[in-house]
Amino acid sequence: MPNSIDRRKKYTRMVLKDSLIQLLKEKPISSITVKELCELADVNRSTFYAHYYNQFDLLDKIEEETIEDMKGYMNKFKYEKKEDVPHIMENLLGYFSSNRDVCQTLLNETETTFQSKATVVAHQFFLKNWTYMNDQEEDLTEYLSTYVINGAIHVVKAWLANGMDKSPGEMAKILNHFINKGLER
């Protein structure tokens, strides 16, 4: 019996999350009601409130789960040389590709904190793993990581919006070129 309850809870949370992501493609979170979310998910409001306080709480949980998933994915890898950078980018782009719907929606939603949370995670990962940069001045590394991460996030957003018209490997090469050579040909 406990397994069926766990499966029902998981299923309910999944359909609510999927429904919110679907609605976020059409309008901002502030325009979404619990009533329309429940109708789309085909669950009653009391079931919704058994899991979440409101639509903002649900969005926050989706963001937190995605960030934790991204952290776990990124922590599988350790990169210490400059030559490893394209691999980390390709792996991270692979993560975004396999989670395109959620990532694209969260990155495009103006009322979420997902982009800033993702920036913090990427920044921490950058400083922890790109040890070849440790010979740089500390404040230079801070500015460089901020520049690289924010630029890369906007490139990823454009890539997702363009239907991932290039493979993660091709995009990793493009980003690596931007980082290392800027506008140089």
Side-chain angles (χ1 to χ4, degrees):
M1 189 70 166
N3 280 342
S4 64
I5 293 172
D6 289 343
R7 277 187 280 158
R8 280 188 299 176
K9 281 183 179 180
K10 286 179 185 177
Y11 175 78
T12 300
R13 290 178 181 162
M14 180 192 70
V15 296
L16 286 168
K17 289 173 187 175
D18 290 347
S19 296
L20 183 60
I21 293 298
Q22 186 176 337
L23 289 169
L24 284 171
K25 292 176 188 176
E26 301 166 13
K27 55 187 167 181
I29 186 71
S30 58
S31 298
I32 296 171
T33 65
V34 172
K35 180 182 178 187
E36 70 182 318
L37 188 55
C38 290
E39 286 174 1
L40 184 60
D42 197 26
V43 298
N44 62 44
R45 288 172 59 131
S46 61
T47 301
F48 176 89
Y49 288 118
H51 296 276
Y52 306 103
Y53 295 115
N54 55 33
Q55 67 274 32
F56 298 99
D57 182 41
L58 172 56
L59 176 60
D60 190 52
K61 298 293 189 278
I62 294 170
E63 287 181 2
E64 287 174 14
E65 286 177 14
T66 304
I67 291 295
E68 287 304 312
D69 192 34
M70 190 169 67
K71 280 182 188 177
Y73 187 83
M74 289 173 62
N75 285 329
K76 291 180 188 176
F77 310 102
K78 181 158 174 81
Y79 300 91
E80 296 179 348
K81 311 182 291 247
K82 188 175 183 175
E83 296 78 31
D84 294 333
V85 172
H87 301 294
I88 190 172
M89 283 187 223
E90 185 172 358
N91 288 330
L92 189 55
L93 289 164
Y95 173 82
F96 279 101
S97 175
S98 64
N99 297 285
R100 177 186 180 197
D101 203 33
V102 171
C103 291
Q104 182 176 15
T105 303
L106 293 177
L107 285 171
N108 287 331
E109 171 59 37
T110 58
E111 297 179 24
T112 71
T113 58
F114 180 73
Q115 185 169 326
S116 62
K117 289 176 184 176
T119 300
V120 168
V121 169
H123 182 75
Q124 290 168 345
F125 188 80
F126 183 99
L127 294 177
K128 176 182 158 195
N129 289 284
W130 290 359
T131 55
Y132 72 88
M133 296 203 52
N134 286 342
D135 56 350
Q136 302 277 334
E137 291 180 37
E138 190 173 317
D139 62 336
L140 180 62
T141 301
E142 176 80 22
Y143 288 124
L144 179 60
S145 66
T146 299
Y147 176 79
V148 168
I149 291 162
N150 284 294
I153 285 174
H154 286 282
V155 170
V156 169
K157 285 172 72 169
W159 175 61
L160 292 169
N162 289 334
M164 298 182 308
D165 56 346
K166 299 189 181 322
S167 72
E170 291 171 313
M171 283 306 298
K173 287 178 186 173
I174 290 169
L175 283 169
N176 191 48
H177 176 80
F178 290 163
I179 291 166
N180 291 312
K181 303 202 190 245
L183 299 175
E184 230 178 72
R185 286 193 172 243

